[in-house]
Amino acid sequence: MKTKSIINIIAITACSVASTYLQAQEKKYASEVWTADQGENYRNPVLYADYSDPDVIRVGNDYYMTASSFNEAPGLPVLHSKDMINWKLVNYAIQDLLPLEHFSTPKRGDGVWAPSIRFHKGEFYIYWGDPDFGIYMVKTKDPLGIWEKPVLVMEGKGLIDSCPFWDEDGNAYLIHGWAGSRAGVKSMLTLNKMNPEGTKVLDKGIHVFDGHDAHPTVEGPKMYKRNGYYYIFAPAGGVATGWQLALRSKNIYGPYEEKIVLEQGSTNINGPHQGAWVDTPSGENWFYHFQDVDAGGRIVHLQPMKWDKDWPVIGTDYNKNGIGEPVVSYKKPDVGQLYPVVTPAETDEFDGKKLGLQWQWSANENIVWSSKLPGQQFLRLFSIKVPEGEKNLWNVPNLLTQKFPAPNFTATTKVKLVPEEARDGKTAGLLVMGLDHTSLVITNKPDGYYLQLRKAEKADKGGKEKILWETQLKSNEAYLKVNVTEPNGLCQFSYSENGKDFIKTGDVFQAKPGKWIGAKVGLYSISMAKAPRGGYADFDWFRITKK
């Protein structure tokens, strides 16, 4: 009883610190293009952005979410909410991916896979699997502050989708999945014993579930305990085509009973799985999961959940087959009061001391890529040389991008190119990045400045970037815009020289997802490998709006 009281005090203290910090931050941001809060009700998705493989916990009256970030840096986003619906991006748990040198160049699709977040003895822990190096852990007492240096808990190839579990008797465990591309086998869940500190596994592990017969590609396990049962919540069946599985046993090592508890069914919400069971202080139960929407990435849904005969019942069983299906809208969770509408930031006026948290680089950041001096009300991106022999932007590390925030939105920026040399070879502009990529850019030639629409198909396979359209500009400044619309990310670029009259450039482009991530929109400034050194581009602002 005494131990539980101390833990509760710590949790309340952590919650108080977090709340104080959040109140001191800049004013809350509410998106123009997607909000889930509908007053008494909410609509799904609660986050129409690529926070894939989400995991969520409650600490006191505060909720924290993390998600996969793969090769993007900083990584392991940390989001905060007071009501489970309105989420704000407040931090990243890692600034650089390890090993540092390995991730100094883009390793698209690698890096941080399917993390889990937990609160244990006054500290926040995040575990994740890197398919090439093993399972890492990072922790902190303040989720909004600096997280400690990551620890490699279990070294190995193909170890992914890890989740820690501290039992009531003090024993610690780690459950994880397998990447077939590295390990040669998948569709298995394995349980390892850990030291109580959660920093090291103590054995080779024991397989506790084999999904090959009925649940192929079972992965992403999350472990809980309730009413004497150990529960493993795990997705199966593949990212876009799968279902949510619940396993239970009175013994942590099994055997485990199985039940499908969420499926697409009669809805249009595909792949409803991989997420987190969360409760409220009032005793309600909820389940977060993702839906794969191709170019939009894996977006986050929230489902009502209840317990029936010690099995979770998720969503609504519309077709009466005993398996829940996702809801499109529902009454908001009972958290005791109403909170203001908040969303992760999108627009950045570049007026602050540093970049907004919505921005990520394609690899570990190099400080020479950008400049943001005190009082400087623009972002300067330097003309960094592309790697020798590259045909497109796939292996360029200094792309500054953010997630698609909605099915329909417009991104606009104002850019000025300063090459510092009369000769050609510098390029900067607005980008939509994925397996195919398209950008609208200013570039310099011996006779002046030109605007170009560029496109590379199958960039991941070395597809050559081509110039689809160009026109000469009157100066080295331009306003660049891309309008993104349904279905599935149709992109129309346009430009203006006065900021008022925009002219469409080229045909509509179909955005493509990246490797395990959705398409991204953002900015870049590069130099051809053989061009003289020097040069930069100044971006006055970047805005996400309806039109």
Side-chain angles (χ1 to χ4, degrees):
M1 192 70 183
K2 184 177 179 181
T3 303
K4 288 186 177 180
S5 297
I6 292 171
I7 291 173
N8 287 337
I9 291 169
I10 293 172
I12 293 168
T13 302
C15 173
S16 176
V17 171
S19 298
T20 301
Y21 186 98
L22 285 167
Q23 290 168 7
Q25 286 188 326
E26 66 230 31
K27 63 180 182 180
K28 294 178 174 66
Y29 182 89
S31 174
E32 282 188 29
V33 294
W34 188 268
T35 54
D37 195 321
Q38 305 292 294
E40 291 185 358
N41 298 330
Y42 72 92
R43 64 171 174 171
N44 273 317
V46 292
L47 288 169
Y48 207 117
D50 187 34
Y51 290 101
S52 68
D53 312 320
D55 193 29
V56 180
I57 58 169
R58 176 176 66 86
V59 179
N61 294 316
D62 293 271
Y63 299 86
Y64 297 92
M65 179 189 296
T66 191
S68 296
S69 52
F70 299 98
N71 60 285
E72 306 287 308
L76 282 177
V78 179
L79 296 94
H80 172 267
S81 177
K82 296 293 289 187
D83 63 0
M84 306 181 73
I85 304 301
N86 292 286
W87 288 93
K88 182 176 181 179
L89 179 60
V90 294
N91 203 358
Y92 289 93
I94 54 173
Q95 295 303 308
D96 294 303
L97 282 72
L98 298 176
L100 290 172
E101 184 59 31
H102 179 79
F103 286 103
S104 65
T105 57
K107 299 295 186 295
R108 300 191 186 276
D110 299 346
V112 176
W113 285 24
S116 58
I117 183 170
R118 292 292 181 267
F119 184 75
H120 176 64
K121 291 188 175 181
E123 293 187 294
F124 293 81
Y125 292 76
I126 298 179
Y127 287 73
W128 75 95
D130 181 309
D132 295 306
F133 298 101
I135 292 171
Y136 289 91
M137 178 273 287
V138 65
K139 68 175 184 174
T140 185
K141 291 182 179 179
D142 178 8
L144 305 174
I146 297 173
W147 291 65
E148 295 179 13
K149 183 178 178 180
V151 174
L152 185 59
V153 177
M154 180 163 54
E155 186 176 2
K157 233 174 174 36
L159 303 169
I160 59 168
D161 300 8
S162 52
C163 178
F165 178 76
W166 284 272
D167 209 345
E168 295 153 328
D169 59 7
N171 286 320
Y173 302 87
L174 185 74
I175 190 166
H176 67 86
W178 296 89
S181 59
R182 272 76 160 184
V185 67
K186 61 176 184 177
S187 302
M188 301 277 287
L189 301 180
T190 305
L191 187 68
N192 289 82
K193 189 81 179 292
M194 277 199 306
N195 63 348
E197 297 77 21
T199 59
K200 185 180 180 180
V201 296
L202 304 177
D203 58 16
K204 290 186 177 181
I206 294 176
H207 299 313
V208 293
F209 189 75
D210 184 344
H212 284 90
D213 297 324
H215 302 289
T217 320
V218 65
E219 55 190 355
K222 300 294 185 292
M223 183 169 271
Y224 308 94
K225 192 173 185 180
R226 178 185 180 273
N227 286 355
Y229 278 105
Y230 296 92
Y231 288 91
I232 301 171
F233 285 56
V239 169
T241 55
W243 52 90
Q244 180 65 33
L245 187 65
L247 312 172
R248 74 178 187 184
S249 175
K250 291 284 188 176
N251 187 308
I252 195 167
Y253 288 105
Y256 279 88
E257 302 173 81
E258 64 185 66
K259 186 175 183 180
I260 297 175
V261 294
L262 183 67
E263 64 177 1
Q264 180 174 348
S266 59
T267 75
N268 62 0
I269 302 172
N270 64 305
H273 62 203
Q274 177 114 2
W277 163 36
V278 186
D279 66 0
T280 67
S282 64
E284 293 181 347
N285 294 279
W286 297 84
F287 183 76
Y288 286 93
H289 67 91
F290 71 68
Q291 174 196 8
D292 186 292
V293 290
D294 201 46
R298 298 182 226 179
I299 58 180
V300 181
H301 289 241
L302 177 64
Q303 302 301 328
M305 175 177 147
K306 61 182 180 180
W307 291 91
D308 181 29
K309 298 177 182 177
D310 286 321
W311 282 108
V313 179
I314 301 174
T316 299
D317 184 9
Y318 294 111
N319 58 11
K320 306 302 180 184
N321 69 342
I323 302 173
E325 300 167 53
V327 301
V328 175
S329 63
Y330 207 78
K331 185 178 180 180
K332 286 161 65 173
D334 177 11
V335 293
Q337 67 179 90
L338 295 177
Y339 288 91
V341 174
V342 177
T343 64
E346 303 150 354
T347 290
D348 198 337
E349 296 293 335
F350 301 134
D351 291 342
K353 295 180 180 179
K354 54 186 178 180
L355 285 169
L357 289 173
Q358 63 267 41
W359 296 107
Q360 292 174 292
W361 300 97
S362 295
N364 288 339
E365 181 184 3
N366 187 323
I367 195 171
V368 303
W369 292 346
S370 67
S371 171
K372 190 74 188 69
L373 301 180
Q376 190 179 74
Q377 295 186 329
F378 59 86
L379 171 66
R380 177 162 293 173
L381 296 182
F382 292 102
S383 304
I384 303 300
K385 291 194 175 189
V386 299
E388 191 76 39
E390 292 298 329
K391 297 179 180 180
N392 58 54
L393 300 176
W394 188 256
N395 292 317
V396 172
N398 57 303
L399 308 180
L400 185 65
T401 59
Q402 60 174 277
K403 307 172 191 300
F404 273 25
N408 300 284
F409 68 94
T410 297
T412 314
T413 190
K414 181 185 178 185
V415 59
K416 177 171 69 174
L417 181 67
V418 182
E420 292 187 332
E421 289 279 351
R423 287 174 285 173
D424 60 355
K426 311 297 178 180
T427 299
L430 180 64
L431 167 73
V432 171
M433 185 67 190
L435 297 175
D436 295 353
H437 64 71
T438 299
S439 56
L440 184 59
V441 299
I442 298 180
T443 189
N444 65 316
K445 297 183 180 183
D447 64 337
Y449 294 93
Y450 285 77
L451 196 69
Q452 296 178 340
L453 183 67
R454 298 181 173 187
K455 181 179 181 181
E457 295 182 344
K458 298 181 179 178
D460 59 321
K461 305 296 184 184
K464 186 177 180 180
E465 185 180 62
K466 299 177 182 178
I467 299 172
L468 304 181
W469 172 94
E470 78 171 358
T471 187
Q472 190 165 13
L473 293 170
K474 297 175 183 177
S475 71
N476 64 338
E477 291 185 271
Y479 297 82
L480 311 178
K481 177 187 291 188
V482 61
N483 181 241
V484 180
T485 59
E486 297 178 277
N488 203 28
L490 297 176
C491 304
Q492 175 67 66
F493 284 87
S494 59
Y495 80 99
S496 173
E497 293 194 76
N498 60 14
K500 299 177 181 178
D501 306 307
F502 280 83
I503 302 168
K504 293 180 179 179
T505 64
D507 297 329
V508 171
F509 159 67
Q510 175 66 67
K512 296 290 180 68
K515 194 171 181 182
W516 300 121
I517 66 174
K520 303 195 80 174
V521 61
L523 312 170
Y524 73 107
S525 176
I526 59 172
S527 171
M528 298 310 296
K530 296 181 180 179
R533 288 192 180 90
Y536 54 88
D538 289 341
F539 293 87
D540 278 15
W541 37 258
F542 178 92
R543 294 171 183 158
I544 296 289
T545 56
K546 289 183 178 180
K547 295 182 180 180

